Amino acid sequence: MIIAGIDVEGENKIPQLYRCDPAGYYVGYKATSAGQKEQEANNLLEKRYKGADPNPSLSYDDTVQLALACLQNVLGSDLKASDVEACVVRNDALKFTRLGDDEVEAHLTALAERDDDVVRDGS
């Protein structure tokens, strides 16, 4: 089980992410996954954070696009908005919200355009 939320007790309202196993053991993470291909996804997320700032600050768009890129990479195929159910917890809204198909599609399009730019630049 993955638990995401906001620490409203602290003055900065910091997002928190925990993973709990069936025995009740829990650990905090910057990013994690669960499911059939979780090891592949966790490896990809680890590469993203390895050597990075201990408290990386991604924008909202970058965070959603990283999650979608991770899914695409692990599944080995392009995603369609109708195939994805994405939810976010934002510290400015202090609530859990489901992204609509239009917003998911916009993020998938931005991700594809970013990948095209990387291929064109040769980076």
Side-chain angles (χ1 to χ4, degrees):
M1 174 172 48
I2 297 175
I3 302 168
I6 305 291
D7 178 7
V8 295
E9 297 294 320
E11 60 186 65
N12 294 330
K13 295 186 172 53
I14 300 170
Q16 302 290 320
L17 181 66
Y18 293 93
R19 182 157 177 199
C20 182
D21 69 12
Y25 177 75
Y26 64 94
V27 177
Y29 288 92
K30 295 176 191 171
T32 192
S33 65
Q36 187 175 8
K37 295 189 176 186
E38 72 184 66
Q39 190 59 51
E40 291 176 54
N42 285 337
N43 289 343
L44 188 112
L45 292 168
E46 186 177 317
K47 283 181 191 175
R48 170 65 174 86
Y49 286 108
K50 190 174 187 177
D53 177 9
N55 293 307
S57 178
L58 294 174
S59 71
Y60 170 77
D61 290 337
D62 288 342
T63 303
V64 174
Q65 290 169 24
L66 174 61
L68 292 171
C70 187
L71 272 174
Q72 283 188 155
N73 187 291
V74 169
L75 296 174
S77 65
D78 289 337
L79 299 173
K80 291 185 252 172
S82 59
D83 297 338
V84 178
E85 185 174 329
C87 299
V88 296
V89 179
R90 297 181 68 170
N91 60 349
D92 57 345
L94 293 178
K95 65 180 182 176
F96 182 87
T97 55
R98 184 182 182 276
L99 303 182
D101 285 348
D102 292 342
E103 188 172 1
V104 172
E105 185 61 43
H107 285 293
L108 288 170
T109 300
L111 187 58
E113 289 172 357
R114 188 169 53 184
D115 288 345
D116 288 344
D117 289 343
V118 169
V119 170
R120 274 181 264 172
D121 291 342
S123 307

